[in-house]
């Protein structure tokens, strides 16, 4: 039983890694620079942090069968965790007062190019 759980956990980890790689590639093709992947703070993890000019994206990556499933997977608890981690990361950046921050999601769907959803939620709610 433990071996089966471990194998499925490893598969999920690999799928997540692959999804984040695809999401990062999609954002880079849009002109964003990836600043961090799987950035861990005491408040939680941010899947991707990207930047273009003064705009910083805090990106949640969701691999699901449909776009609706991916969007529904970002719940209020996830939003709070991501906001806390983003605030923590931003507070450690020089000149952070000049940066605009946006919370986006990239949905990694089967047999499709990743879908970038802007403003999936608004920080500070």
């Amino acid at each position: 039983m433990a071996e089966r759980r471990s194998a499925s956990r490893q598969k999920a980890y690999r799928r997540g890694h692959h999804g984040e790689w695809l999401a990062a590639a999609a954002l880079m093709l849009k002109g964003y620079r990836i600043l961090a992947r799987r950035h861990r703070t005491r408040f939680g993890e941010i899947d991707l942090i990207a930047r273009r000019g003064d705009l910083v994206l805090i990106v949640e990556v969701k691999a699901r069968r449909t776009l609706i499933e991916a969007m529904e997977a970002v719940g209020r608890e996830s939003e709070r965790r991501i906001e806390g981690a983003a605030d923590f990361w931003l507070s450690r950046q020089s000149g952070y007062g000049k940066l605009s921050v946006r919370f986006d999601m990239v949905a990694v769907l089967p047999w499709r190019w990743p879908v970038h959803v802007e403003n999936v939620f608004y920080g500070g709610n």
Side-chain angles (χ1 to χ4, degrees):
M1 186 71 157
E3 288 178 23
R4 202 174 329 160
R5 213 174 306 135
S6 176
S8 67
R9 214 179 218 153
Q10 287 175 352
K11 187 176 179 181
Y13 178 82
R14 283 193 305 271
R15 186 174 38 244
H17 226 54
H18 180 70
E20 288 168 5
W21 182 87
L22 284 172
L27 291 171
M28 286 189 293
L29 286 172
K30 287 181 147 190
Y32 291 95
R33 187 168 41 105
I34 304 301
L35 302 179
R37 295 178 192 209
R38 291 191 175 195
H39 180 74
R40 293 174 197 246
T41 72
R42 63 182 179 205
F43 300 101
E45 183 179 279
I46 302 169
D47 292 339
L48 294 173
I49 302 171
R51 182 173 178 175
R52 184 170 66 191
D54 288 338
L55 176 62
V56 174
L57 302 185
I58 305 298
V59 182
E60 183 72 359
V61 178
K62 293 293 181 186
R64 297 291 188 275
R65 288 182 300 160
T66 68
L67 179 58
I68 291 171
E69 285 180 17
M71 292 185 75
E72 289 175 345
V74 181
R76 186 64 195 130
E77 189 174 315
S78 293
E79 291 176 17
R80 279 197 296 273
R81 174 188 52 78
I82 295 165
E83 288 171 3
D87 287 344
F88 189 77
W89 181 84
L90 282 165
S91 71
R92 282 155 175 67
Q93 305 307 306
S94 62
Y96 75 93
K98 298 176 185 173
L99 300 174
S100 297
V101 179
R102 194 171 74 202
F103 294 92
D104 290 3
M105 180 193 68
V106 174
V108 179
L109 309 171
W111 307 108
R112 288 190 55 193
W113 188 248
V115 177
H116 179 200
V117 181
E118 298 177 358
N119 289 311
V120 73
F121 68 89
Y122 298 94
N125 290 336

